[in-house]
Every structure is written in structure tokens, then in C-alpha cells.
């Protein structure tokens, strides 16, 4: 079937199909889901287990190690790491990046974790598997309520949550900063001792009073009657009215006469939240997969405006994180870049091909794009910066099909064929070469799609969109372009003239190079080697920082710091931001708003943001600037203030990350079984990092040691007093932290009822010494100092393990324009020398950017042989020649010469996106060589002498090759100028590489051909 003939002979049907594609493509584009980034599968889960009161060492030995051993049985496991802190174990399970269907893996993980329950000690709460901490909450709305109490603020937040869950695109809503309610029964030690009561006896009294137990049922005639005894607490007053039997006194007392019953919140709070310095709650919204970000943003904004009208003065709503606005801006910018690129390419073709031919070929661009949108929608590919950049990259390449087709039709018409015959014959002649050229270009992008890494998955739509667009271009070049050429191209019979100054000069240079092939190839090799050497002077950055207008201020105080002290430090930082940086009537540029998460890092607002677990000594501020260009200066000023005013504060202030997040650009992990030996080597590593310079905030993840009170129980003294170790532990927990007695149910809410000593005895060491230890069964009490000695000791704050070995990660931030690659280059030789001395006691691994970029780049390099094999098969199939395939593949290194020169000239960096640009460049360079060799074959088929065929083919393909280069380079200019730091190196790599490789292709490929085929000149 000849689709070109069908399109021309059934031109009405072709026109109708074009209109359908135009209308359907436009509507599809307007309705496609939009996102900032395409995202990737989160391949990590957390297993959290609580072991109240246990030291980090005991948590490691009794909990973390047991769970780790069970997790290691999962066949898909990449690595497992654990964090053991006082009273809590957090085991993070990381799955190999080659797996995408995570549900069966997480189900298996749950079974493995459940199997450890019999091996864990008594008193453990959990373990709990969380495989959803990768959810992204792109909308965060804070609610402040001046003049209202917390309960009223919480009620408003719950109402907002209920309203948000009604939207179809909302998957999950969480409230951050909320405080869990508690009913506290606070007793006085002296009073309880006087009455001979113990906390356990209070607990028993409340448990037996607060019941929800069926009384059974019985038959009454033909009816079945249920019995429901009363007794459960209906109010706080009911708890106060609980009757307590005083042992040995034969009298009853109300609980309120023995202790104070108050309603409050967890004390101390686990986390707090401020919105621009005011106490607040935050409502975080996660969108469902495939949802429309822009529509959801409009719905939330409309709802917020309605709520402002409903609630009284003093209730304020603020969108501190609002991804729909970011997405809309980013997509609009890239669409603008795409339209500019289309305009530039169209103008180039109009000027170079003439008005009629230029207009005919220009129709290929919108039609290919609209057809691509239809296919993208069918394959669930949305609009984001990756897919839109792919369209811009493909733009210059897709016109190549139309240019070659239109020019070939013109040549045949000039030779005397009528328009229809010329169009059909051209399509028959070029359909396989054009398809092969498109497929080779697509194959060059294949490693990006096949890469088994998060970054590969993140950028995989580059391959898919380029493939879709180029194949759409090929289809339209075989149907629509020939039809339009038949009706619009007007040519007269004439011979192509190559007598201009340009062609005479080109022929002279080419002939000279063909006659001096050895010198030409030698110079080319030398230039290539110089270019490779030049890459050593190009800075190396994995991913440039994000160009978002907000940044993160991570605050870490010494481990064990009370959350009240952390809040005080945050308040001081907020005061500085408000007084010196916040936008006011007199200060037009600066900080517009911020949100402070105290005790945690808040929700995952973008995919590359990694929140930390709850920690009282930790806080995170997300600060929004009026302009993204102000971010570097604001980071510098806030960092200087933190350093000058809080010497014990570790402040890490940086822009949001593009691509995978890296906590420390420079990081080295040391692993071993002996913590003392490990830390001797850690100290040596820190000293070396300080010596090489250029690094700040050199810290390790174990943190500083913390103080703790060790209660040394004197067993003989305790035995004489009739007190057991359990009595002492329970009395300490009740007196200091609080002991849960029972639960109070209020509607749908369950509020724990806690017993604890009065506050004056809980926050000082003397109060601990005088704490009463109760014999829980009788109520008899003795002072703690009578049965135990108290000692203040220093203990490890946290213990990290990786794959079963204690592991310390030593990390640092970078100063100024220094790159992580430079520092790793200085550190690695020293580490290799140290490894010889350390032996097997300590092993090191490079982390940070070295590990992330190494994994990402290697994942693509591993798939390059597949792409090379596909391209080789296509080349050999096209030409039935291995020599020609080798010639074509040898042109790929020619592009690297331009890449090196371009990166150095424009002061850009070598990173993952640059690497993608080089991979993309390979497909375009190959295309030029294919077009040239195909023309040589046609010349030989017409009986032209071999040497002359090379020269004729080179000069005949000069204009199409130069035109393709011009359209590709100029089409990428908007991406280079307006795509931001992330896309700049990729655009440079393709533009500079293509410019140099085009010149070399037109000169060196004919020389290679003549060398391989021994053509004499």
C-alpha cells in the first residue's frame, strides 16, 4: 500500500483528517495534566518501632538488628539502613531501582516485619511499616487564628480538611502542627504516699470504672433484648468523680480529692508550626495520580476565598506552598519557549527554502506536535518541563524529514517529472532512509528510557516524546508534505548550480582534504584528544539548584535539645527575617512569607525534598522570596546571622533541589563493627576535610553525645524495702513522663488518660531524687534515693547502621563556586591510602553527589551498548555494509569536540543533563552522516565515478545538512536562554556539538569514506 498515493488521490479525506488532528490535538493539549516534574517511583519504605525508655544501644541490639535481618530476606532489596535513637528505631528499606511495581514488594515487607514480633522484647510498640512517606503534598495551606484558642483552630482545620477531601483530584489531606489531646491526672507525691496509693492502683480503679462491655442479651417473648451497662466516661467531670477505695482506711474518696484532673495536650509537644512567625496549623494536600494540578489549584483557591467569608475576623489562610502556581508558570514558560522555537525554525525555513517551500515544510511542525499530543495523552504522558523540553529538542530534528522530502520533490520536478509523479517517487525513494534516520535518532535516546535509576525514570519522557514526535513527523512527511507540494510547489526545469563562491570554496577544501587523508585524520584525532583534555577543565555538577523562588533553612541543634529551646532559636531566626528581610512598604524586595516546622521537616512539598523524622532538636523553615534571583543573597544573609548569633546551631541553607535530593554534596560513609575504632577514623577524616578547604558544616550524622540519668538500682536495699525493679520503672514513668491509665472517648476521638506527678517535680534532678517509688500492689512508697543511686552519664545520641554494620556519614557543604567533584578528587587518594592502614576494621564509601551522579550516569552507560547495537543493525540494514556503519558511528566522537569547546566558552558545567545532551547529540550527528552516505549511493547508482560521486554527494547534501543544523541550533536557543540552569548545559551540548560536528561531518566523513573504500584523488 502506497500511503503517499492514497493521501494525494484522496485529498479531501486527507484534509479532513488534518482538521481532525488539528482540533483534537488542540483540545488534548488544553486538557492534558500538567506538572512541574514527571516524578518517579519511590522505592523506599520505613519501619518504625517504639521501645519507650530504651537507650540507642539497646534499641539497636534488640529492635533494629532483628528487623534488619528479616528485611535482608527480601530478594529485591538494594540496601537497608537503620537509625536507633532513645526509644525509637527507624529502619529504611531501599529497593533496587530496576523494580517498578512496588505493591507486592511492600506486602512481602509487611510479612517479613510481622514475623519479627516474637523476637522483639516486651514493651515494644509496633513495628509499623510506612510505604507512603513518598507522597508529595504540593499544596500547603496554613491557618492562623489571632484571638482564638488552639481547640477552635483545630476545629477549623478539621472542617477545611473535610472540604478538601470532597475534591475528586485530592488523594490525601494531612494536618501538620496539630497537638494530640490528653487527660492528665496529676498527683502530689506526698499526698499519694500519705494515702498509701500507687499509680497502678489508680489505673485499676479507672479501668474498672471506664468500660464499654456488652452485658449480653436474652429472649423476651419473640424479641431479643440486649443489655448495655453504663460506666464509660462521658465527660472530664466523670473522670473526676471516679471513686477510689483507700487501702487500709475503709473509706472512699473522689479522684478529684486525690489528684488534679486537667485536659491538655501532649507535653512536651512533639512538633510545632509557625506561619510567618505566628502559631499555626497547616493543611497539606496531595493530588491523586493523573490529576490536573491547575484545576485543583483553582478549586482550592476558590474554596479558600469562600472560607475567608465564612469565618470571623482573625482567621487567616495562607498558601505557603502552592505547586499549581509553580506548574502553571513553568509550563507557560516552556510553552512560550516552544512557540518561540517554532517561530524561529519557521522563519529560517522561509528564508532558506523560499516562501512556497518554506510554508509547505513549516506545516510539518504544528501537525507533528498536535499528532504527538494525541499519542502522548493516550500513553498518559503529561505536560511538564521534561516532556516540553523534549518537544523543543525534537523540533529541529523533525523538520529534517520535511526538508529532505520537499527538496527531493523539487529536484525531480526540475528534471521534468510532473508534481504527482515527483511526490510519489520521492516518497518511495525516501521512506526507508527517512525512517532509518528517525529510528537511529530515537535509538540514541533509548538508554535514557532503559536506565534503571530514579534519574533515568525522571527523564524517561525525553525518549518517549522524541520518539513520538519524530515518528509523527515521518508519517506526515510521507502524506501531507507530498500532497501540499503537488498543489503549491512551482518549479521550472533547471540544473542545480554549484558555481557560487561558497560551493567553489567548499569543493576546494574538500578536494584538498581528500588528497591529504592521513593529515586530515591525524589533525582530527589531535583535535579530539585536545577536546577530551578540555573536559577536565569543565566544572562537574550533578544537578544545578532549582530556580524556584523559595529555599530551605534546615536548623539542627545539639541532639537532645528540648523542643522549647528549638522553638526559641526558631523564634529568633524568624525575628531576624521579619525585621531585616521581609517585604514591607519601604522594602519592595525580600522575603514574602515563610513556614517553620519545629520538631520535624514538614510534608514532602516536592518530590526531591526529603523530610526527616520527628526530632525535638530539629527545625525546618521554608522561606519564599519575592523573586528567585534574590535567593542566593537571602541564603547568604540568613546563614551569616545564624553563624554569628547561634554558635551551637548547625544551619544548612540551600535552594530546593532539582532531581534527586542530596543532603550533603560531599559525603563519605565509614562502616565497621567497633564504634570506638570507627570514630577515630571519623576524626581523621574530618581533619582531612578541613585541611583541603572549600568545605563548611563538616559534621557526622551520629551527632554529639547526650546526657542521660542512669538509675543504678541497689538490689539488696530495694529488696529490704519490698520494692522490685518493675516498681521503680513504673514509678519513674508515672512520675516523669506519665503513665497511661485508660482512654476517654469523645465522639469519634479517643483521648488517653495519663497519670503523672505535678510539674514542679518533673523538671529538675532533685525532684527525681525525691520521687516516690511505689510498691504497685500495696501503695507503700519509699524515696527513690533510698533504693537507687543516680548518675549523670554521656551516651550516644543516635546509632546508624547500613547493611548490618555501624556506619557514620561524614558530610559537608560547599563554599562559593567550588564543586563536589573537585573535593572528591582531593579526598579520594587520601582515602585509598588510609584504607590500607585501616584494613578490614573500617570500609569507606563515597556518598553525596559522587554516589548519586555515579549511579545515574552508570545506569545510562550500562544501556549504551543496546543503543549502539540497535543503531548498528539499522545502519547495516540500510546500507548492507559494515564499513558504512562504522563510518557513521565514528562521527559520534566528532560532536564531543564541540561539546567541550561550548561548555568551556560559555562557562557551563558537566552534569547529568549535559550527559543527556551528549546522548541526544549522537542521534543528530548520525543523521547527517546517513544523509550524506545515502546520496553517495545514489550517485554511484547513476554511474558517476567514485571520487566524483563523493564530491557531488557532499555538495548536494550541504544545504539540507546545514539547514537541519540551523533549525536545531536556533530552535534550542529559547531553551538555552529561558529554560533555566537545569536545561542550559543540555542545550549548549547539543548546539555547540552540532555546530562543530556539522562542519567536520561535511569534511571528515567524505575522507573516512574515501579511506575505507580506497578511492584515489
Amino acid at each position: 500500500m502506497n500511503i503517499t498515493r492514497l493521501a494525494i488521490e484522496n485529498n479531501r479525506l486527507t484534509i479532513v483528517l488534518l482538521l481532525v488532528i488539528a482540533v483534537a490535538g488542540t483540545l488534548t493539549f488544553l486538557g492534558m495534566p500538567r506538572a512541574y516534574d514527571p516524578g518517579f517511583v519511590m522505592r523506599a519504605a520505613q519501619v518504625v518501632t517504639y521501645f519507650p525508655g530504651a537507650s540507642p544501644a539497646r534499641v539497636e541490639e534488640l529492635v533494629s538488628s532483628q528487623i534488619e535481618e528479616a528485611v535482608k530476606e527480601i530478594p529485591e532489596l538494594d540496601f537497608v539502613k537503620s537509625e536507633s535513637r532513645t526509644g525509637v528505631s527507624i529502619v529504611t528499606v531501599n529497593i533496587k531501582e530496576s523494580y517498578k511495581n512496588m505493591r507486592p514488594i511492600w506486602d512481602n515487607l509487611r510479612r517479613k516485619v510481622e514475623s519479627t514480633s516474637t523476637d522483639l522484647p516486651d514493651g515494644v510498640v509496633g513495628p509499623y511499616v510506612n510505604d507512603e512517606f513518598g507522597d508529595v503534598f504540593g499544596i500547603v495551606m496554613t491557618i492562623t487564628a489571632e484571638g482564638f484558642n488552639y481547640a477552635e483552630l483545630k476545629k477549623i482545620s478539621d472542617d477545611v480538611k473535610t472540604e478538601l477531601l470532597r475534591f475528586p483530584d485530592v488523594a490525601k489531606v494531612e494536618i501538620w502542627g496539630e497537638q494530640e489531646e490528653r487527660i492528665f491526672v496529676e498527683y502530689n507525691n506526698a499526698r499519694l504516699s500519705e494515702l498509701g496509693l500507687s499509680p497502678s492502683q489508680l489505673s485499676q480503679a479507672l479501668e474498672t470504672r471506664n468500660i464499654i462491655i456488652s452485658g449480653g442479651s436474652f429472649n423476651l417473648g419473640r424479641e431479643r433484648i440486649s443489655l448495655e451497662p453504663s460506666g464509660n466516661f462521658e465527660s472530664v467531670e466523670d473522670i473526676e468523680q471516679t471513686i477510689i477505695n483507700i487501702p487500709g482506711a475503709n473509706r472512699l474518696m473522689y479522684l478529684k480529692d486525690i489528684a488534679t484532673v486537667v485536659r491538655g495536650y501532649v507535653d512536651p509537644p512533639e512538633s510545632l508550626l509557625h506561619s510567618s512567625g505566628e502559631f499555626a496549623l497547616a493543611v497539606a494536600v496531595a493530588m491523586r495520580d493523573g490529576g490536573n494540578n491547575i484545576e485543583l489549584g483553582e478549586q482550592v483557591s476558590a474554596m479558600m476565598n469562600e472560607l475567608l467569608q465564612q469565618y470571623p475576623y482573625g482567621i487567616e489562610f495562607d498558601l505557603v506552598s502552592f505547586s499549581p502556581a509553580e506548574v502553571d508558570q513553568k509550563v507557560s514558560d516552556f510553552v512560550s519557549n516552544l512557540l518561540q522555537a517554532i517561530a524561529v525554525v519557521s522563519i529560517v525555513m522561509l528564508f532558506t527554502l523560499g516562501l512556497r517551500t518554506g510554508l509547505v515544510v513549516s506545516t510539518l511542525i504544528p501537525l507533528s506536535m498536535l499528532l504527538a499530543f494525541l499519542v502522548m495523552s493516550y500513553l498518559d504522558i503529561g505536560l511538564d518541563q521534561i516532556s516540553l523540553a523534549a518537544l523543543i529538542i525534537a523540533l529541529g530534528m523533525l523538520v529534517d524529514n520535511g526538508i529532505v522530502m520537499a527538496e527531493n520533490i523539487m529536484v525531480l520536478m526540475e528534471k521534468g517529472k510532473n508534481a504527482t509523479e515527483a511526490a510519489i517517487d520521492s516518497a518511495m525513494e525516501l521512506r526507508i532512509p527517512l525512517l532509518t534516520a528517525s529510528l537511529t535518532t530515537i535509538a540514541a535516546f533509548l538508554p535514557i528510557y532503559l536506565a534503571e535509576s530514579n534519574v533515568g525514570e525522571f527523564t524517561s519522557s525525553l525518549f518517549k516524546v522524541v520518539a513520538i514526535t519524530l515518528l509523527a513527523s515521518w508519517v506526515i512527511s510521507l502524506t501531507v508534505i507530498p500532497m501540499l507540494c503537488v498543489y503549491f510547489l512551482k518549479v521550472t526545469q533547471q540544473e542545480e548550480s554549484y558555481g557560487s563562491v561558497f560551493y567553489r570554496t567548499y569543493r576546494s577544501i574538500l578536494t584538498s582534504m581528500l588528497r591529504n587523508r592521513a593529515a586530515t585524520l591525524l589533525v582530527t584525532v589531535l583535535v579530539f584528544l585536545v577536546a577530551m583534555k578540555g573536559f577536565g577543565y569543565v566544572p562537574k555538577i550533578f544537578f544545578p539548584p532549582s530556580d524556584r523562588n523559595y529555599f530551605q533553612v534546615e536548623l539542627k541543634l545539639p541532639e537532645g535539645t528540648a523542643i522549647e529551646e528549638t522553638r526559641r532559636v526558631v523564634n529568633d531566626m524568624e525575628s531576624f527575617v521579619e525585621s531585616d528581610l521581609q517585604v514591607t512598604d519601604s522594602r519592595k524586595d525580600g522575603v514574602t512569607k515563610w513556614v517553620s516546622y519545629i520538631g520535624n521537616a514538614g510534608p514532602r512539598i516536592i518530590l526531591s525534598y526529603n523530610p526527616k523524622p520527628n526530632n525535638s532538636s530539629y527545625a525546618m523553615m521554608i522561606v519564599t522570596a519575592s523573586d528567585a534571583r534574590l535567593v542566593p543573597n537571602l541564603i547568604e544573609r540568613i546563614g551569616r546571622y545564624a553563624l554569628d548569633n547561634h554558635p551551637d546551631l548547625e544551619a544548612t541553607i540551600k535552594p530546593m533541589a532539582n532531581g534527586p535530593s542530596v543532603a550533603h554534596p560531599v559525603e563519605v560513609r565509614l562502616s565497621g563493627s567497633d564504634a570506638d575504632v570507627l570514630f577515630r577514623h571519623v576524626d581523621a577524616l574530618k581533619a582531612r576535610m578541613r585541611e583541603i578547604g572549600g568545605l563548611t558544616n563538616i559534621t557526622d550524622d551520629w551527632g554529639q553525645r547526650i546526657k542521660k540519668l542512669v538509675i543504678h538500682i541497689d538490689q539488696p536495699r530495694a529488696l529490704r524495702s519490698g520494692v522490685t525493679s518493675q516498681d521503680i520503672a513504673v514509678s519513674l514513668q508515672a512520675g516523669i513522663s506519665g503513665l497511661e491509665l485508660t482512654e476517654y472517648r469523645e465522639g469519634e476521638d479517643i483521648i488517653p488518660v495519663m497519670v503523672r506527678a505535678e510539674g514542679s517535680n518533673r523538671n529538675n534532678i532533685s525532684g527525681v531524687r525525691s520521687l516516690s517509688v511505689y510498691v504497685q500492689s500495696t501503695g507503700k512508697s519509699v524515696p527513690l534515693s533510698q533504693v537507687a543511686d543516680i548518675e549523670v552519664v554521656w551516651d550516644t545520641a543516635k546509632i546508624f547502621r547500613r547493611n548490618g554494620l555501624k556506619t557514620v556519614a561524614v558530610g559537608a557543604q560547599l563554599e562559593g563556586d567550588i564543586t563536589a567533584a573537585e573535593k572528591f578528587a582531593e579526598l579520594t587518594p587520601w582515602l585509598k591510602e588510609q584504607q590500607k592502614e585501616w584494613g578490614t576494621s573500617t570500609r569507606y564509601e563515597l556518598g553525596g553527589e559522587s554516589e548519586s551522579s555515579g549511579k545515574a550516569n552508570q545506569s545510562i552507560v550500562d544501556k549504551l551498548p543496546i543503543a549502539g547495537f540497535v543503531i548498528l543493525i539499522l545502519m547495516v540494514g540500510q546500507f548492507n555494509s559494515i564499513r558504512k556503519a562504522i563510518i557513521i558511528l565514528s562521527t559520534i566522537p566528532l560532536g564531543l569536540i564541540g561539546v567541550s569547546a561550548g561548555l568551556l566558552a560559555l562557562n557551563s558545567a558537566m552534569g547529568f543533563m549535559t550527559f543527556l545532551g551528549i546522548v541526544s547529540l549522537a542521534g543528530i550527528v548520525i543523521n547527517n552522516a546517513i544523509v550524506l552516505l545515502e546520496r553517495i549511493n545514489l550517485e554511484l547508482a547513476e554511474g558517476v565515478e567514485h571520487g566524483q560521486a563523493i564530491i557531488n554527494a557532499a555538495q548536494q547534501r550541504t544545504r539540507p545538512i546545514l539547514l537541519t543544523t540551523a533549525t536545531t541550533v536556533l530552535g534550542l536557543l529559547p531553551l538555552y536562554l529561558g529554560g533555566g540552569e537545569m536545561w542550559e548545559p543540555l542545550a549548549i551540548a547539543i548546539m555547540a556539538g552540532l555546530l562543530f560536528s556539522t562542519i567536520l561531518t561535511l569534511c571528515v566523513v567524505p575522507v573516512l569514506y574515501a579511506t575505507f573504500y580506497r578511492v584515489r584523488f
Side-chain angles (χ1 to χ4, degrees), residues 440 443-447 450 863-872 889 919:
T440 52
F445 286 83
L446 186 60
L450 297 178
K863 304 301 179 183
L864 284 177
I866 298 176
F869 179 73
V870 172
I871 292 172
L872 182 63
L889 290 175
V919 173

Side-chain angles (χ1 to χ4, degrees), residues 363-373 398 468-469 472-473 476:
T363 59
L364 178 67
I365 300 173
L367 289 176
S368 297
M369 294 287 180
L370 292 172
L371 183 55
F373 288 139
L398 69 87
I468 291 167
T469 309
S473 164
I476 292 172

Side-chain angles (χ1 to χ4, degrees), residues 467-536:
I468 291 167
T469 309
L470 290 184
L471 290 177
S473 164
W474 178 74
V475 171
I476 292 172
S477 294
L478 293 182
T479 53
V480 178
I481 297 301
M483 184 192 74
L484 294 177
C485 286
V486 167
Y487 292 108
F488 293 102
L489 289 193
K490 304 294 182 186
V491 296
T492 57
Q493 292 187 25
Q494 59 182 26
E495 291 295 323
E496 179 69 49
S497 173
Y498 296 104
S500 65
V501 174
F502 171 79
Y503 280 109
R504 288 201 307 271
T505 304
Y506 172 56
R507 274 197 306 274
S508 174
I509 294 172
L510 180 59
T511 303
S512 176
M513 294 176 75
L514 287 167
R515 288 172 179 166
N516 300 278
R517 283 173 289 195
T520 300
L521 295 178
L522 179 61
V523 170
T524 303
V525 171
L526 289 175
V527 171
F528 174 74
L529 293 176
V530 170
M532 293 303 98
K533 187 70 175 176
F535 276 114

Side-chain angles (χ1 to χ4, degrees), residues 621-672:
M621 298 171 64
I622 304 296
V623 183
T624 303
S626 56
D627 193 306
R629 291 170 293 183
L630 300 173
V631 168
N633 177 258
L634 293 173
I635 287 176
E636 192 272 332
R637 293 183 65 182
I638 294 175
R640 193 184 325 122
Y641 180 84
L643 184 63
D644 293 343
N645 294 273
H646 300 283
D648 60 342
L649 174 66
E650 180 190 337
T652 304
I653 310 168
K654 57 185 180 181
M656 307 305 288
N658 271 325
S661 176
V662 177
H664 296 99
V666 177
E667 181 181 278
V668 180
R669 291 191 299 271
L670 301 185
S671 300

